[in-house]
Amino acid sequence: MSEGSIVLGALAPHPPHLIYAENPPQNEPRAECGWEVLRWGYERLRRSLADKSFDVLVVFSPHWQTMVGTHFLGVPHFKSISVDPIFPNLFRFHYELDVDVTLSEAICEQAAQMGMVTKMMRNPDFRVDYGTIISCHLTHPAWDKPIVAISSHRSAKLFNTEYMQANALKLGEATRKAVLASGKRAVLLASNSLSHRHFVTEPPLPEDMSKEHITHHGQYLWDMRMLDLMRKGKTRELIDLMPDFTDQTIAETDSGALSWLIAALDYPEYGADVHAYGSVIGTGNAVVGWDHESYGGRS
Amino acid sequence: MSVLSGWLVPGMPHPYLCPEKNRGWQKLRTAYETARQSIEALDADLLVIYSTYWPSIIGHQIQALPNPVWTHVDEEWHELGSIHYNLRMDPEFAESCREACVARGLHARTVAYHGFPIDTGSVVALKLLNPDNRLPAVILSSNVYSDRAETIVLGKACRDALAQSNRRAVAISVSALSNRLFIEPIDPAEDRIHSLKDDEWNRKYLEFLQLGRLEDVSQLSRQFHREARVHKVTNFKPFWWLAAFMGQNNCYRGEVHAYEPVHGTGAAIVELTPTSMAARDLEYDEDDPDAYAGDRNVLGSLNDAPGMDGDDES
């Protein structure tokens, strides 16, 4: 078996608003427009993937929240409807997807060997979280590739962001080792926003873009600083700043998703492609790609 | 109009799905059965539930689908099994609550969608307290950003809606006491409260509740949050809502039916029955807001005020 590889890594946030505005047939609500810049960014991400072959999408989602370790989907096929508990008016999505259970188990086992608490999710009635679904759909709407879905261990809340990050980095390393050993070609998705202070009200027309802006200038400055580090390939500095950034902007990086991605990519020193940045109900979101294979699959 | 009784119940699925694995979980299950019988003996018209297991961001959400049907699996405890539910909601009262919330300045909306993910806590409470759907229910979300004033106003809005409807309700807060849990799998037989400190705070709270001092407990919520809660949200809110909904006093007969650990968390089933006998040591010393006018935002500039409805752009 040839060695596996990480084809591409992406920061692929999951605001349900982007699906809502995109109007895919799977989603029940219909929109007139909205959040185009971010959706165009996802278009560019998809274009960057178009000429690459890959076997599996591995996604780390902040919206599968677990307290007792990190969990992995372990059922081969799911079909259901996902309704966003926060924005049910925007996201009621009929999904059907396959899971690469073999790779899930491999990452789960590798992380366990490295000292992490892990668990496979084997209940066929389980509903896949909307973060996983949205990031996968916007990255690869054909749904013709299996996924591996990884939960977010809420250690930032249980302990602190430093502890969270230490675990996320270890999980990233475990993911890289398992992918390389699998012989598969994987695309990795960190399904999180950057700054994450929401508005607590919604305009009557959710896609009214005259109401959309970042919640706070300070959040914008922090987001730009993090994106600048990504563009310059300064991922070690990015990781060093992550706890402070997370605490200052109540960022969704508290999930560990972005730290996991950077570690899985082995701290790339090449510049990332920032495909788009925009706010969604006040939160800061960026679509960012690390074209890992073009750089020899190395940092 | 009246709230016939108020309850604190835990939302972890263990007492429903696998009570046999731990004596404490079985005691909670038995206490749930006692609670069901107690509620059944009342001449109530509906159940009003505030669940800390249902977070919201856009104001306050109120479940209004008449008959939610689903097979629920908890995102954490999926190995314990699935819970099929077929619930009976009260859309009319849900809408009344929404209107009352808006009248008091809150952002609120009803939700009525097939497949909406009703939270584990509400599902467990309804399966055990109202298994035959004898009473219709309303479920209220817990806004992650809201703090005391907003939550108290939410409780008052529910009270307004109840007064307007001229109905008799049972109030239920679904919440753990201390919520720090073990982050590794445990042998169920060896479950215990995560720390002595958490246990002591839980017992102090239960001592007050046993005396019927609901308002005093409500006013201790911030302290309890600091001492015995993992800070996943801004504050510990279930007693703010419960006290506001029930009338903001200490005039209750309290009964602690069970207090047990569930994977390290403090799980209690407590009944509060209104009585004319007031508990002693009343310490009503906090603001008593009647309407919500937004965050005071004392540390930020005017431009920092969150809001997406355009009001903040003037």
Side-chain angles (χ1 to χ4, degrees):
Chain A
M1 185 173 64
S2 59
E3 190 177 58
S5 64
I6 295 172
V7 175
L8 181 141
L11 176 58
H14 61 259
H17 306 66
L18 304 186
I19 294 276
Y20 167 67
E22 197 94 354
N23 289 312
Q26 296 99 323
N27 199 34
E28 290 179 0
R30 300 282 105 183
E32 192 177 11
C33 62
W35 303 278
E36 276 75 9
V37 173
L38 278 166
R39 293 195 287 121
W40 295 337
Y42 262 114
E43 267 184 29
R44 284 188 281 274
L45 175 64
R46 291 194 290 272
R47 216 174 295 142
S48 74
L49 263 178
D51 60 351
K52 294 177 169 55
S53 70
F54 61 96
D55 303 310
V56 60
L57 291 159
V58 182
V59 56
F60 184 125
S61 171
H63 286 289
W64 181 9
Q65 302 188 352
T66 53
M67 297 288 187
V68 185
T70 301
H71 300 205
F72 300 79
L73 289 185
V75 175
H77 187 75
F78 289 97
K79 181 179 181 181
S80 188
I81 181 173
S82 172
V83 180
D84 187 318
I86 309 294
F87 301 101
N89 52 325
L90 308 183
F91 188 78
R92 303 190 298 279
F93 190 92
H94 296 263
Y95 67 91
E96 183 166 9
L97 58 87
D98 293 318
V99 174
D100 186 335
V101 177
T102 306
L103 183 57
S104 288
E105 289 170 339
I107 301 172
C108 181
E109 176 61 28
Q110 180 65 51
Q113 283 178 17
M114 293 168 66
M116 298 185 70
V117 176
T118 61
K119 186 189 287 185
M120 293 299 296
M121 199 303 297
R122 307 284 192 188
N123 190 325
D125 296 326
F126 189 80
R127 177 152 48 181
V128 179
D129 74 282
Y130 63 98
T132 292
I133 292 168
I134 293 168
S135 293
C136 287
H137 182 86
L138 291 171
T139 303
H140 190 65
W143 286 105
D144 58 358
K145 305 288 184 189
I147 71 166
V148 168
I150 305 174
S151 79
S152 165
H153 180 230
R154 307 308 287 171
S155 49
K157 297 286 189 254
L158 288 161
F159 300 99
N160 56 50
T161 47
E162 283 82 0
Y163 181 95
M164 170 279 295
Q165 178 153 276
N167 270 321
L169 297 179
K170 191 183 285 188
L171 183 62
E173 188 183 343
T175 302
R176 172 163 32 90
K177 287 179 177 175
V179 167
L180 296 183
S182 73
K184 293 174 179 169
R185 296 166 55 77
V187 170
L188 271 48
L189 306 178
S191 169
N192 63 277
S193 300
L194 293 174
S195 66
H196 206 58
R197 182 63 164 93
H198 299 83
F199 296 123
V200 295
T201 58
E202 189 179 54
L205 183 67
E207 60 266 42
D208 180 352
M209 291 294 101
S210 70
K211 307 296 185 195
E212 185 63 81
H213 58 86
I214 194 79
T215 301
H216 187 291
H217 181 56
Q219 309 248 312
Y220 183 84
L221 291 174
W222 263 111
D223 286 347
M224 288 306 115
R225 183 161 188 190
M226 300 303 268
L227 288 173
D228 188 52
L229 293 172
M230 294 180 206
R231 292 176 70 241
K232 290 175 176 167
K234 295 184 175 179
T235 54
R236 294 277 180 185
E237 190 176 340
L238 181 83
I239 290 295
D240 289 344
L241 269 180
M242 195 79 76
D244 199 12
F245 165 70
T246 302
D247 292 341
Q248 295 286 343
T249 68
I250 52 172
E252 212 173 21
T253 47
D254 71 340
S255 63
L258 183 55
S259 304
W260 162 82
L261 176 67
I262 297 297
L265 295 171
D266 204 12
Y267 308 89
E269 293 178 355
Y270 57 85
D273 300 314
V274 177
H275 296 299
Y277 173 82
S279 69
V280 178
I281 200 147
T283 66
N285 292 268
V287 182
V288 181
W290 281 267
D291 193 350
H292 208 52
E293 194 164 59
S294 296
Y295 288 87
R298 294 183 298 274
S299 62
Chain B
M1 176 280 291
S2 58
V3 180
L4 299 179
S5 68
W7 293 83
L8 171 70
V9 298
M12 297 273 265
H14 305 60
Y16 179 73
L17 287 171
C18 55
E20 71 285 354
K21 289 185 176 176
N22 174 283
R23 280 181 56 201
W25 303 350
Q26 183 61 59
K27 284 181 184 173
L28 287 166
R29 178 63 174 265
T30 303
Y32 250 121
E33 175 61 16
T34 303
R36 183 191 67 76
Q37 291 171 3
S38 178
I39 291 170
E40 204 168 290
L42 299 170
D43 187 20
D45 300 310
L46 80 159
L47 306 174
V48 183
I49 296 174
Y50 173 85
S51 178
T52 58
Y53 291 73
W54 179 11
S56 61
I57 287 171
I58 305 300
H60 305 271
Q61 299 197 130
I62 307 163
Q63 182 56 243
L65 189 67
N67 180 215
V69 177
W70 197 258
T71 300
H72 175 76
V73 178
D74 187 82
E75 64 181 349
E76 178 82 57
W77 309 107
H78 39 79
E79 78 279 13
L80 299 182
S82 309
I83 307 175
H84 178 73
Y85 64 76
N86 183 339
L87 306 175
R88 179 183 165 209
M89 294 293 126
D90 189 329
E92 189 181 335
F93 189 73
E95 176 59 22
S96 298
C97 282
R98 188 198 67 78
E99 290 171 3
C101 285
V102 171
R104 282 186 179 265
L106 298 173
H107 195 86
R109 65 182 174 199
T110 57
V111 294
Y113 304 106
H114 170 65
F116 184 91
I118 296 180
D119 63 282
T120 298
S122 296
V123 170
V124 167
L126 285 168
K127 291 290 282 189
L128 292 173
L129 295 176
N130 193 39
D132 303 322
N133 286 329
R134 193 178 61 83
L135 297 173
V138 163
I139 307 170
L140 303 148
S141 70
S142 179
N143 184 291
V144 297
Y145 294 120
S146 69
D147 214 310
R148 180 175 178 272
E150 192 169 350
T151 309
I152 283 181
V153 171
L154 177 67
K156 288 184 175 181
C158 293
R159 193 170 174 82
D160 294 343
L162 193 64
Q164 192 174 20
S165 73
N166 204 27
R167 297 169 79 183
R168 295 150 63 90
V170 171
I172 300 166
S173 268
V174 183
S175 177
L177 289 173
S178 64
N179 66 342
R180 184 168 288 280
L181 43 64
F182 297 108
I183 60 167
E184 296 187 355
I186 62 167
D187 177 353
E190 296 183 2
D191 200 358
R192 60 179 173 80
I193 300 294
H194 191 274
S195 71
L196 178 61
K197 181 172 76 93
D198 285 357
D199 189 37
E200 287 176 343
W201 271 100
N202 291 339
R203 289 181 188 278
K204 175 54 70 179
Y205 240 50
L206 292 171
E207 180 186 324
F208 275 37
L209 289 168
Q210 183 88 39
L211 294 170
R213 297 174 60 179
L214 176 58
E215 178 59 19
D216 289 348
V217 161
S218 167
Q219 297 202 14
L220 274 172
S221 293
R222 287 194 184 94
Q223 182 75 14
F224 189 81
H225 186 70
R226 280 194 294 273
E227 301 287 356
R229 299 281 295 182
V230 174
H231 296 174
K232 292 190 286 187
V233 294
T234 52
N235 235 317
F236 184 52
K237 309 169 202 177
F239 288 104
W240 285 335
W241 176 82
L242 188 65
F245 186 36
M246 294 188 72
Q248 292 177 290
N249 56 57
N250 286 337
C251 302
Y252 304 97
R253 187 175 65 250
E255 185 166 2
V256 178
H257 291 286
Y259 166 58
E260 300 291 340
V262 178
H263 207 88
T265 65
I269 295 181
V270 180
E271 179 177 12
L272 293 156
T273 305
T275 173
S276 56
M277 294 290 289
R280 296 177 304 164
D281 306 320
L282 307 185
E283 297 290 349
Y284 303 163
D285 60 356
E286 293 231 46
D287 288 347
D288 182 19
D290 284 319
Y292 187 63
D295 291 330
R296 285 181 292 173
N297 196 32
V298 292
L299 297 178
S301 67
L302 285 175
N303 291 334
D304 298 341
M308 207 182 177
D309 53 8
D311 295 343
D312 57 336
E313 296 185 1
S314 57

